[in-house]
Amino acid sequence: MDKQLLSKTAAAMVAKGKGILAADESSGTCEKRFKSVGVECTEENRRAYRGLLFGTPGIEQHLSGVILFDETARQKANDGTPFPRYLAKKGVLPGIKVDKGVTDIPFTAGEKVTDGLDGLQKRLKEYFDMGCRFAKWRAVITIGEGIPTHTCLYANAHALARYAAACQEASIVPMIEPEVLLDGNHSAERSEEVHEATLRATYAAMAAYNVSPEHLILKTSMVVSGRDNPRQAGVGEVAERTVRVLKRTVPAAQPGIVFLSGGQSDEAATAHLNAMAAMKGLPWPLTFSYSRALQNSALKAWSGQAANVAAAQQAFHHRAQMNGLAAQGKWQAGLEKQAA
Ligand code: 13P
């Protein structure tokens, strides 16, 4: 365990004005996204699309890192350089998704726990040798009638802690992602309660497995109203509830917190981040680690056509730039219109 390297990596991940692109969609998720713009989800199309994103001119000014899927980490850019090295050469940290997706928890109403601990230590060693310096694991928490259960929170927290400990031992920074889904008709208040319970369970497990908070990044969902709730919390309320939960649960010793976008609109994800980052006196830097809210417009602009690469890169660059400003509390809605 190289503590110096872990500290350096974690600090670089949350460097001022930069955030992380989540490009670690599994091939199944990628298929859904590609289908929405009429693109066939072949290995070569996945490579071409990721290459387009990573090759966007100047993107390194707004991205500190990229989370890769195993397949992508083994693919090459157009110039023949493996993607992890290609990103590192640009000064962007390559990261890797190491979980293997979710499975049902017995004796629950279909709640999920994340798989991927078997053989993890061996895989981490290989990923480190490939140049990956941080690793993500996503746990999924669903809000509904009587759920999440204690069983679900407990199972996911322990899996997260075992993976995080394995990462730190391998000198790879764990990016722990307990995602509370926004699906459902719950209120923002209920979402706040569930976020608090989830994060409490998560950090209790981190302590039980001797995971050091100094070498850990939290990737969290924001406290928003359920998608189907007619009363949607406004930007100020989302920011206030989210930061309150984080202050109650996340150690101040942690180097930073990043957010997922979770199905929010591109602009809502930016506005929410901006409102939180503008708050004074927070113990950690806050930034983005979005997939959809960074990629939606780029994917649409590309639509699988080589002739659209420049337009897609422009759209991607714009969202990364807007979110980079939001991470400093310097974004305004007017900036979107200027660029449109
Ligand atoms: P979204 O920003 O699309 O929620 O994706 C982030 C992510 O990494 C999900 O695991």
Side-chain angles (χ1 to χ4, degrees):
M1 169 170 170
D2 182 341
K3 287 189 182 174
Q4 233 177 332
L5 176 61
L6 287 167
S7 297
K8 202 175 123 199
T9 302
M13 286 166 76
V14 292
K16 195 172 171 185
K18 295 186 183 183
I20 293 166
L21 165 68
D24 59 328
E25 300 85 1
S26 62
S27 302
T29 303
C30 207
E31 177 141 26
K32 263 197 281 178
R33 305 269 156 85
F34 275 24
K35 215 170 159 183
S36 72
V37 293
V39 177
E40 204 192 335
C41 194
T42 61
E43 189 177 337
E44 173 51 23
N45 279 346
R46 292 192 292 270
R47 188 201 68 82
Y49 174 62
R50 264 74 180 246
L52 171 166
L53 297 176
F54 309 160
T56 297
I59 202 67
E60 61 277 10
Q61 286 163 30
H62 312 293
L63 290 188
S64 58
V66 173
I67 317 171
L68 302 166
F69 186 57
D70 181 84
E71 175 189 271
T72 322
R74 299 174 194 282
Q75 287 176 325
K76 294 184 170 107
N78 289 342
D79 71 359
T81 314
F83 279 134
R85 260 203 288 136
Y86 177 84
L87 289 166
K89 273 210 290 197
K90 285 187 114 173
V92 176
L93 285 162
I96 183 85
K97 169 197 178 81
V98 295
D99 69 68
K100 299 219 160 177
V102 296
T103 186
D104 284 355
I105 306 175
F107 310 123
T108 68
E111 291 185 286
K112 310 287 182 204
V113 68
T114 306
D115 276 339
L117 291 170
D118 284 0
L120 179 60
Q121 275 149 313
K122 201 166 140 229
R123 285 192 290 133
L124 287 170
K125 203 179 164 312
E126 187 192 4
Y127 288 138
F128 185 92
D129 292 342
M130 287 161 74
C132 299
R133 291 294 173 264
F134 69 97
K136 186 191 102 169
W137 178 288
R138 174 172 176 257
V140 181
I141 312 295
T142 305
I143 303 181
E145 191 77 22
I147 59 170
T149 58
H150 176 69
T151 310
C152 172
L153 298 186
Y154 184 84
N156 277 295
H158 279 256
L160 276 166
R162 285 187 59 192
Y163 124 86
C167 286
Q168 289 186 344
E169 192 182 44
S171 303
I172 289 179
V173 172
M175 176 193 262
I176 57 172
E177 183 187 21
E179 173 174 4
V180 178
L181 296 180
L182 54 70
D183 300 342
N185 62 0
H186 53 271
S187 63
E189 188 179 10
R190 173 79 178 124
S191 174
E192 184 175 339
E193 276 170 19
V194 172
H195 274 86
E196 183 165 341
T198 301
L199 291 170
R200 281 200 193 290
T202 299
Y203 283 98
M206 294 301 144
Y209 283 92
N210 305 309
V211 173
S212 100
E214 285 81 2
H215 307 119
L216 181 63
I217 297 289
L218 170 67
K219 172 161 175 166
T220 181
S221 35
M222 298 178 194
V223 177
V224 295
S225 308
R227 198 201 299 276
D228 303 327
N229 189 314
R231 196 192 87 76
Q232 290 291 310
V235 173
E237 184 181 343
V238 168
E240 192 187 312
R241 287 187 185 279
T242 305
V243 167
R244 181 162 54 222
V245 171
L246 295 173
K247 278 186 175 170
R248 285 178 152 217
T249 54
V250 182
Q254 209 180 271
I257 298 175
V258 301
F259 294 98
L260 60 98
S261 58
Q264 300 178 44
S265 72
D266 296 358
E267 206 167 315
T270 305
H272 289 150
L273 172 62
N274 187 68
M276 291 188 274
M279 291 180 182
K280 299 270 178 284
L282 299 180
W284 351 254
L286 306 178
T287 191
F288 60 93
S289 175
Y290 299 155
S291 159
R292 282 164 286 180
L294 277 175
Q295 294 184 45
N296 286 333
S297 52
L299 181 62
K300 216 165 136 193
W302 176 55
S303 291
Q305 304 297 316
N308 296 338
V309 165
Q313 288 181 328
Q314 207 176 357
F316 177 53
H317 186 273
H318 175 66
R319 285 269 44 92
Q321 187 177 29
M322 292 296 107
N323 285 302
L325 287 170
Q328 302 169 77
K330 291 182 178 166
W331 173 84
Q332 292 165 11
L335 293 169
E336 300 285 349
K337 294 196 185 70
Q338 275 169 32

